[in-house]
Amino acid sequence: MRVVSLVPSLTEAVAVSVPGVLVGATDWCTHPEDLDVTRVGGTKNPKPERIVALAPDLVIANEEENREPDLAALRAAGVTVLLTEVRDVPQAFRELARVLEACGAVSRPRWLDEAEEAWSAPPVARPRRTAVVPIWRRPWMVLGRDTFAGDVLARLGVDHLYAGHQERYPRIPPAALRAAAPDLVVLPDEPYRFTGDDGPEAFPGLSCALVSGRHLTWYGPSLAEAPRVLGAALRAAHR
């Protein structure tokens, strides 16, 4: 089995669960840190000719991470593409099991059981809090409707204020975000790398939680520790 992954979190899941099957991954596939495979470009701009040259049995993609024209080019070249969709935590577990089975896993990995157990009763903030969750600046973009990260936060007791927006990642200027008067501003370190010096200054007077983007947005082995890691960061912002 030869697999190319175009989704960083799924790259990690396959690499640690079915060692040796990955032959290609994107430039953004940073985990495991010792991953040694051919790089095939970015998630939004992979190089189809490089992927085809690897003669993969399967390419793993995601409907949000990857562009349909790139996937269509791979299919036209005779490559089998497994397209995933992940909009909430339960769907993440179903898709992970499907991907690992397609990649030839002979048994269910322990980390997947540990992740499901961790999310069966995660630490929930009491009382529940409201938040805005920027994921980019210049222009400012936030979590909107129907997102995996939004579901993650909701399960930890944090309801983001744009969950009902018609767009999944709306562009909202900082003045409007401040005017929404959230209890908390959640600032992940990816896809935009918010830091203590880059992000909180736009929200004077509001509590800001700097969180791990990998634990907020990745669906893979990091799910096992995400409730604990994110819960701690969210609590720290409200002390």
Side-chain angles (χ1 to χ4, degrees), residues 137-208:
R137 67 183 301 175
R138 306 182 191 92
W140 285 88
M141 300 173 68
V142 299
L143 291 185
R145 65 166 180 85
D146 196 23
T147 65
F148 172 74
D151 186 61
V152 164
L153 290 172
R155 291 171 187 274
L156 297 176
V158 177
D159 301 307
H160 71 94
L161 294 177
Y162 293 92
H165 197 282
Q166 63 180 358
E167 298 178 23
R168 297 187 67 205
Y169 300 100
R171 298 185 180 190
I172 311 291
L177 297 178
R178 294 191 295 268
D183 298 320
L184 193 63
V185 180
V186 178
L187 298 169
D189 60 10
E190 63 173 81
Y192 184 89
R193 187 173 180 79
F194 288 106
T195 68
D197 299 321
D198 186 357
E201 79 288 345
F203 304 98
L206 293 177
S207 296
C208 292

Side-chain angles (χ1 to χ4, degrees), residues 74-149:
L74 292 173
R75 295 188 186 101
V79 175
T80 300
V81 176
L82 189 160
L83 185 64
T84 61
E85 177 183 280
V86 177
R87 302 292 180 90
D88 57 35
V89 173
Q91 191 176 31
F93 290 132
R94 292 194 298 271
E95 290 289 63
L96 282 164
R98 183 166 75 101
V99 166
L100 295 178
E101 180 179 4
C103 290
V106 296
S107 62
R108 183 180 172 89
R110 177 178 297 180
W111 65 261
L112 189 53
D113 288 332
E114 292 173 348
E116 290 211 54
E117 181 177 356
W119 281 101
S120 66
V124 180
R126 301 293 185 199
R128 296 187 71 87
R129 299 166 186 158
T130 60
V132 294
V133 190
I135 50 97
W136 201 259
R137 67 183 301 175
R138 306 182 191 92
W140 285 88
M141 300 173 68
V142 299
L143 291 185
R145 65 166 180 85
D146 196 23
T147 65
F148 172 74

Side-chain angles (χ1 to χ4, degrees), residues 206-235:
L206 293 177
S207 296
C208 292
L210 294 167
V211 303
S212 161
R214 177 167 170 261
H215 291 96
L216 179 63
T217 65
W218 286 37
Y219 31 89
S222 58
L223 277 171
E225 59 185 16
R228 174 180 56 82
V229 172
L230 292 173
L234 294 169
R235 288 192 300 272

Side-chain angles (χ1 to χ4, degrees), residues 1-59:
M1 172 69 74
R2 295 173 61 82
V3 177
V4 172
S5 174
L6 303 181
V7 188
S9 55
L10 295 179
T11 296
E12 181 181 18
V14 172
V16 303
S17 306
V18 198
V21 304
L22 278 177
V23 295
T26 75
D27 299 340
W28 299 104
C29 294
T30 57
H31 288 76
E33 294 182 357
D34 61 352
L35 183 66
D36 183 17
V37 297
T38 298
R39 300 296 173 161
V40 297
T43 57
K44 303 298 185 188
N45 58 346
K47 296 177 170 53
E49 68 282 359
R50 191 176 297 176
I51 297 171
V52 172
L54 290 171
D57 300 298
L58 184 68
V59 170

